[in-house]
């Protein structure tokens, strides 16, 4: 039997906008997700100009953790979670984003949540910005197109670092900062950066320009955090979908290598503290005008992260001699050469299931960066069926998670990768980010709520609840 170290952070992951609800409670302002309607597999979510009366916005109520957090935390504690990764709704603290002073009611809410977690022996692991920019900053400033938003973000970071300095040790700056490398899908630039691309603009250039501002904001926040509490561990957070070559054809191998730069660009800067040469070459080749100011190089160097957090759900594959009709499909990551991998099955939403890809990712990241890693999202979105006796047999979810835990166990025990913890995504059912649905469920706790917002919100334990409780209690990763 192989185990992980005693202090390994077994946990669960969530994001404020996907589970809190209470979208306008306690002085909270609207965020960029509060104007996103529900979509479905293949049907994009709409981003409306304002909040419109006749539209349904699934994040507004989500699963109402805002009013039920005490009961939910009791269930997390029963499962044995050692940590809970969640985020702070930026617009709960700064409703518009550019105020001088924070909203005390919003700050108090997170004090209450963190106190409750700590009382139950669960360590909060906190993302500063998980797709929750105040809407006002997006509409009035163009989001991270504007350097002023860097200051507003850093002020937000400073306020919450100071407020929770004795309650939170592990922080991350931006969730999946690299999502927007897929510029074909407007969802990513909007939720990452509060940016919409206008007709005639070069989306890739805008992505790098706003990306520069986010990299500066992240680095300044890291530096500020270290001043406030030198014990803080502040990480980056990237989405990682490794890209395999379809065959041993050197053209496929080189193509996959080049595409992988889309995955590595942001963490390369956040971990190493400077722009990689392949990116500088691209800026030069394409004539991109990146708003790098005097002093920025030093800011990036001083603001290197302590660890790398990442999400891992699936892998993708590219083939050099096809030019697929790419419509920005999320599964192939918007890659024009993306093809189906014949060795890998996929979920009902077309996300491939590839546990070996997790071990491969851990090894490639660790070889590249040599800093601790943290798997802060991994999971299986599926439809669940409630049996007549109320039980929920989510065997496919258990099989997915079990195989990924075995893979991370090998990476730690056989490959020597330094891994801080593992927080499966959506430990309780929440609103899906890409589709806004409830029926794409990741949780080990079922929530009675459907895609249209009907349901009692009652919570029920799935089979995976008991299975994960046993995994945590035994620490067993391989039989
Ligand atoms: C990640 C995000 O992209 O994937 C989460 O950080 C998201 O916010 C998760 O929920 C799963 O995606 P989805 O679309 O299935 O909810």
């Amino acid at each position: 039997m192989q185990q992980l170290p005693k202090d390994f952070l077994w946990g669960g992951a969530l994001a404020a906008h996907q589970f809190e609800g209470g979208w306008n409670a306690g002085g909270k302002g609207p965020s960029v997700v509060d104007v996103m309607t529900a979509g479905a597999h293949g049907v994009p979510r709409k981003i409306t100009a304002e909040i419109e009366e006749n539209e349904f916005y699934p994040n507004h109520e989500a699963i109402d953790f805002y009013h039920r957090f005490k009961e939910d935390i009791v269930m997390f504690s029963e499962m044995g979670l050692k940590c809970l990764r969640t985020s702070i709704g930026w617009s709960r603290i700064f409703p518009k984003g550019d105020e001088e002073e924070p909203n005390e009611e919003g700050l108090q809410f997170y004090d209450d949540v963190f106190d409750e977690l700590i009382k139950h022996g669960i360590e909060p692991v906190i993302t500063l910005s998980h797709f929750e920019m105040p809407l006002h900053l997006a509409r009035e400033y163009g989001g991270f197109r504007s350097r002023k938003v860097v200051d507003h973000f850093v002020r937000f970071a400073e306020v919450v670092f100071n407020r929770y300095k004795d309650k939170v040790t592990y922080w991350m700056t931006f969730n999946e900062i690299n999502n927007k490398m897929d510029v074909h899908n407007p969802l990513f630039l909007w939720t990452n950066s509060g940016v919409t691309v206008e007709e005639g603009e070069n989306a890739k250039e805008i992505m790098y320009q706003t990306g520069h501002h986010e990299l500066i904001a992240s680095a300044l926040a890291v530096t500020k955090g270290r001043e406030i509490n030198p014990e803080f561990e502040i990480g980056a957070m990237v989405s990682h979908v490794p890209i395999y070559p379809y065959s041993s054809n050197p053209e496929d191998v080189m193509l996959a290598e080049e595409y992988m730069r889309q995955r590595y660009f942001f963490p390369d800067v956040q971990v190493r503290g400077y722009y990689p040469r392949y990116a500088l070459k691209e800026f030069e080749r394409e004539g991109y005008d990146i708003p790098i100011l005097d002093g920025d190089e030093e800011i990036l160097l001083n603001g290197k992260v302590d660890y790398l957090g990442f999400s891992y759900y699936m892998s993708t594959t590219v083939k050099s001699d096809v030019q697929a009709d790419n419509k920005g499909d999320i599964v192939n990551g918007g890659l024009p050469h993306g093809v189906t991998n014949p060795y890998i099955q996929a979920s009902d939403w077309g996300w491939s299931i590839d546990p070996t890809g997790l071990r491969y990712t851990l090894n490639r990241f660790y070889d590249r960066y040599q800093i601790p890693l943290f798997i802060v999202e991994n999971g299986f979105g599926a439809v669940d069926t409630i049996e007549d006796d109320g039980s929920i047999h989510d065997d496919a979810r258990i099989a997915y998670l079990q195989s990924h835990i075995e893979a991370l166990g090998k990476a730690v025990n056989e490959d020597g990768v330094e891994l801080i913890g593992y927080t499966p995504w959506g430990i309780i059912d929440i609103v899906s980010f890409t589709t806004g649905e409830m029926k794409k469920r990741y949780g080990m706790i079922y929530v009675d709520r459907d895609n249209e917002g009907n349901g009692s919100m009652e919570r029920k334990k799935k089979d995976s609840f008991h299975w994960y409780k046993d995994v945590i209690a035994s620490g067993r990763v391989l039989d």
Side-chain angles (χ1 to χ4, degrees):
M1 184 171 103
Q2 286 200 12
Q3 287 186 314
L4 292 169
K6 281 259 166 313
D7 58 356
F8 187 77
L9 285 177
W10 290 104
L14 297 159
H17 69 100
Q18 285 171 271
F19 82 128
E20 283 180 1
W23 73 282
N24 59 1
K28 179 181 169 297
S31 78
V32 291
V33 229
D34 288 323
V35 291
M36 280 165 49
T37 65
H41 185 32
V43 182
R45 301 181 73 173
K46 265 192 302 185
I47 300 165
T48 60
E50 291 302 330
I51 290 154
E52 292 171 14
E53 273 204 359
N54 299 329
E55 292 285 2
F56 173 58
Y57 299 97
N59 299 71
H60 283 191
E61 282 188 308
I63 62 156
D64 196 29
F65 176 81
Y66 188 80
H67 296 106
R68 297 164 196 253
F69 69 90
K70 289 199 174 156
E71 298 95 279
D72 286 343
I73 290 172
V74 167
M75 289 185 94
F76 299 157
S77 139
E78 196 192 322
M79 218 189 281
L81 300 192
K82 309 242 186 280
C83 74
L84 183 78
R85 174 190 174 223
T86 183
S87 59
I88 294 180
W90 183 352
S91 66
R92 249 186 228 300
I93 309 303
F94 287 97
K96 289 170 77 183
D98 56 0
E99 299 90 338
E100 285 290 308
E101 293 309 317
N103 169 34
E104 176 55 33
E105 232 181 311
L107 287 168
Q108 187 58 48
F109 170 68
Y110 292 105
D111 264 322
D112 296 344
V113 170
F114 298 163
D115 287 346
E116 200 66 18
L117 287 169
I118 293 163
K119 185 171 106 192
H120 286 90
I122 302 173
E123 176 162 0
V125 170
I126 300 302
T127 315
L128 290 173
S129 180
H130 192 132
F131 311 154
E132 292 136 353
M133 173 186 287
L135 185 62
H136 173 79
L137 293 184
R139 294 285 183 232
E140 297 303 317
Y141 294 73
F144 272 105
R145 283 178 188 255
S146 164
R147 181 104 182 188
K148 288 193 189 134
V149 173
V150 173
D151 300 336
H152 296 312
F153 174 79
V154 177
R155 168 80 181 131
F156 160 61
E158 181 185 14
V159 165
V160 298
F161 283 154
N162 268 314
R163 179 80 171 215
Y164 309 120
K165 63 177 183 299
D166 300 322
K167 299 181 184 179
V168 179
T169 302
Y170 285 96
W171 299 88
M172 278 162 274
T173 52
F174 291 98
N175 183 65
E176 295 189 336
I177 187 169
N178 58 339
N179 264 349
K180 57 186 166 293
M181 292 297 282
D182 177 3
V183 294
H184 302 285
N185 190 336
L187 180 77
F188 298 130
L189 260 171
W190 176 249
T191 49
N192 265 195
S193 321
V195 165
T196 40
V197 177
E198 305 303 329
E199 192 79 25
E201 286 188 315
N202 183 328
K204 201 74 191 284
E205 183 174 20
I206 286 166
M207 186 279 298
Y208 280 125
Q209 289 168 341
T210 60
H212 178 69
H213 287 154
E214 285 160 57
L215 288 165
I216 292 293
S218 172
L220 287 169
V222 170
T223 303
K224 182 66 74 185
R226 286 205 185 106
E227 283 163 25
I228 292 170
N229 183 353
E231 302 293 308
F232 279 171
E233 296 287 336
I234 310 177
M237 193 308 193
V238 296
S239 155
H240 198 75
V241 180
I243 301 163
Y244 298 141
Y246 183 76
S247 74
S248 54
N249 175 350
E251 295 304 320
D252 286 356
V253 175
M254 197 57 222
L255 184 73
E257 187 66 24
E258 283 179 14
Y259 272 134
M260 280 295 274
R261 292 173 184 162
Q262 296 196 10
R263 308 291 191 246
Y264 287 135
F265 167 72
F266 282 95
D268 277 356
V269 182
Q270 291 179 292
V271 175
R272 295 169 171 164
Y274 54 87
Y275 274 87
R277 286 178 62 83
Y278 60 80
L280 298 176
K281 286 281 177 203
E282 183 184 351
F283 301 161
E284 195 182 299
R285 197 169 55 241
E286 302 295 335
Y288 292 158
D289 183 17
I290 309 299
I292 302 177
L293 305 183
D294 285 349
D296 280 2
E297 285 183 10
E298 209 183 333
I299 291 174
L300 293 177
L301 211 52
N302 289 337
K304 289 192 285 180
V305 291
D306 298 311
Y307 69 94
L308 178 61
F310 69 96
S311 64
Y312 176 85
Y313 292 90
M314 59 189 157
S315 58
T316 191
T317 302
V318 290
K319 195 163 185 290
S320 54
D321 58 5
V322 295
Q323 190 72 40
D325 176 21
N326 173 33
K327 301 237 169 27
D329 184 280
I330 190 167
V331 178
N332 70 22
L335 303 175
H337 295 89
V339 290
T340 303
N341 185 326
Y343 302 100
I344 296 175
Q345 304 290 311
S347 78
D348 290 345
W349 275 263
W351 291 29
S352 66
I353 302 171
D354 176 18
T356 304
L358 177 59
R359 182 177 177 191
Y360 171 75
T361 293
L362 285 162
N363 276 279
R364 287 208 65 179
F365 270 151
Y366 196 60
D367 286 348
R368 195 173 180 104
Y369 299 132
Q370 303 276 300
I371 61 169
L373 304 175
F374 199 160
I375 304 167
V376 293
E377 285 186 33
N378 170 238
F380 188 68
V383 174
D384 286 320
T385 311
I386 307 184
E387 306 297 332
D388 292 343
D389 65 358
S391 57
I392 299 161
H393 305 307
D394 55 341
D395 299 349
R397 182 170 297 108
I398 294 175
Y400 176 99
L401 294 169
Q402 174 75 49
S403 62
H404 285 74
I405 290 173
E406 283 176 13
L408 73 85
K410 284 185 189 155
V412 172
N413 290 315
E414 295 177 29
D415 308 329
V417 168
E418 260 181 286
L419 185 63
I420 298 168
Y422 175 70
T423 59
W425 179 247
I427 199 78
I428 180 168
D429 292 343
I430 54 176
V431 176
S432 156
F433 159 53
T434 50
T435 69
E437 294 169 295
M438 271 305 296
K439 76 168 188 188
K440 188 182 188 191
R441 295 173 183 274
Y442 286 86
M444 302 184 195
I445 300 168
Y446 184 90
V447 177
D448 180 21
R449 174 119 173 133
D450 68 15
N451 282 356
E452 288 74 42
N454 306 308
S456 65
M457 297 271 193
E458 188 198 345
R459 278 61 166 152
K460 281 186 200 309
K461 294 171 192 164
K462 304 183 193 176
D463 285 358
S464 55
F465 179 100
H466 305 287
W467 164 82
Y468 193 47
K469 180 176 177 178
D470 179 56
V471 169
I472 298 176
S474 66
R476 190 181 65 236
V477 290
L478 274 183
D479 283 323

